[in-house]
Amino acid sequence: QLQLQESGPGMLKPSETLSLTCTVSGGSISRNGYYWGWIRQPPGKGLEWIGSAYYSGSTYYNPSLKSRITTSVDTSKNQFSLNLNSMTAADTAVYYCARHRWGDGYNDFDYWGQGAQVTVSS
Amino acid sequence: DIQMTQSPSSLSASVGDRVTITCRASQSIRSYLNWYQQKPGKVPKLLIYAASYLQSGVPSRFSGSGSGTDFTLTITRLQPEDFATYYCQQSYFTDRFTFGPGTKVDVK
């Protein structure tokens, strides 16, 4: 059974950079046909896709966040990471990592991590 | 920019009811539409992908239909564990995998 687990700081100060890592177990991160994505959910609000990365380096980023995002995939550790710079209070949210399944005629987020609460406060 | 809307934003229903939630895209997304269920404090769960395909392990009382711009999620015979918020998500425009605002299903 595939499992994903986010790790990273729970609290940041404004202007700092968020660094989150998602560790994947029960399956290979370099399996063809699967991107690895990040989605966030501000308190009491809906879901916002942040970005998705493939093990070979291909990426897709939300245009509204693109200038602030860096992602990476470490196949040796079966992990993928998100860096989001210039954090503000508006970035306070639960951050989820997810497997981004991509096939012929479909793509979706079929496995999710438990979520990491990130709070930005001075 | 592709916009996703859902209606209603919330609804009250009873166990055993048939529930229908609508999702509309501002442009055609063919059948690239997914549905997720999220219970309070829990992780979103994929229910339906590619508009009408039931994700493995999801009860058959859930079904999806539609293509182009208009989509529907139907729950036949609502169960106690189905009270949750439901989100649609388009995956046709790969520069922005947009989620709808959600529909909360609560107890009447």
Side-chain angles (χ1 to χ4, degrees):
Chain A
Q1 176 77 349
L2 193 75
Q3 292 186 316
L4 294 82
Q5 180 65 59
E6 305 88 350
S7 57
M11 188 163 288
L12 292 168
K13 290 182 167 52
S15 80
E16 290 185 336
T17 296
L18 171 66
S19 294
L20 288 174
T21 297
C22 184
T23 300
V24 178
S25 58
S28 173
I29 204 168
S30 54
R31 183 176 172 186
N32 286 338
Y34 296 96
Y35 277 67
W36 302 91
W38 295 95
I39 298 116
R40 69 180 182 179
Q41 186 170 37
K45 295 188 178 181
L47 301 164
E48 179 183 32
W49 170 71
I50 298 170
S52 298
Y54 201 58
Y55 76 92
S56 61
S58 174
T59 57
Y60 292 89
Y61 293 154
N62 187 323
S64 67
L65 298 169
K66 189 173 185 176
S67 64
R68 300 170 51 204
I69 298 172
T70 306
T71 59
S72 61
V73 178
D74 188 336
T75 56
S76 68
K77 295 182 179 179
N78 230 36
Q79 294 177 334
F80 61 106
S81 299
L82 168 71
N83 283 355
L84 182 63
N85 63 31
S86 304
M87 294 285 283
T88 72
D91 296 310
T92 293
V94 175
Y95 284 73
Y96 295 101
C97 62
R99 188 174 78 168
H100 190 163
R101 183 175 66 173
W102 208 309
D104 185 16
Y106 64 93
N107 70 74
D108 51 59
F109 300 99
D110 64 340
Y111 283 91
W112 295 61
Q114 288 301 303
Q117 174 66 53
V118 175
T119 302
V120 182
S121 174
S122 55
Chain B
D1 263 8
I2 179 79
Q3 303 294 328
M4 305 299 295
T5 57
Q6 289 182 233
S7 61
S9 57
S10 65
L11 66 90
S12 297
S14 301
V15 172
D17 284 353
R18 178 186 180 93
V19 169
T20 300
I21 299 168
T22 297
C23 176
R24 178 163 290 172
S26 59
Q27 304 171 56
S28 175
I29 55 171
R30 295 172 56 187
S31 294
Y32 287 81
L33 191 283
N34 308 311
W35 290 99
Y36 300 84
Q37 175 195 65
Q38 187 179 32
K39 299 178 183 179
K42 300 297 185 183
V43 178
K45 173 186 176 182
L46 178 65
L47 298 177
I48 303 285
Y49 66 96
S52 62
Y53 291 85
L54 196 67
Q55 173 67 355
S56 176
V58 174
S60 59
R61 63 181 179 273
F62 291 93
S63 64
S65 64
S67 66
T69 60
D70 295 314
F71 302 87
T72 300
L73 173 70
T74 300
I75 312 171
T76 56
R77 293 185 296 279
L78 193 71
Q79 297 300 298
E81 60 268 29
D82 300 336
F83 293 103
T85 298
Y86 294 85
Y87 295 94
C88 62
Q89 178 238 333
Q90 72 83 19
S91 57
Y92 180 68
F93 293 97
T94 58
D95 62 336
R96 191 185 293 259
F97 294 100
T98 318
F99 289 87
T103 295
K104 184 177 181 180
V105 177
D106 62 19
V107 179
K108 182 183 282 185

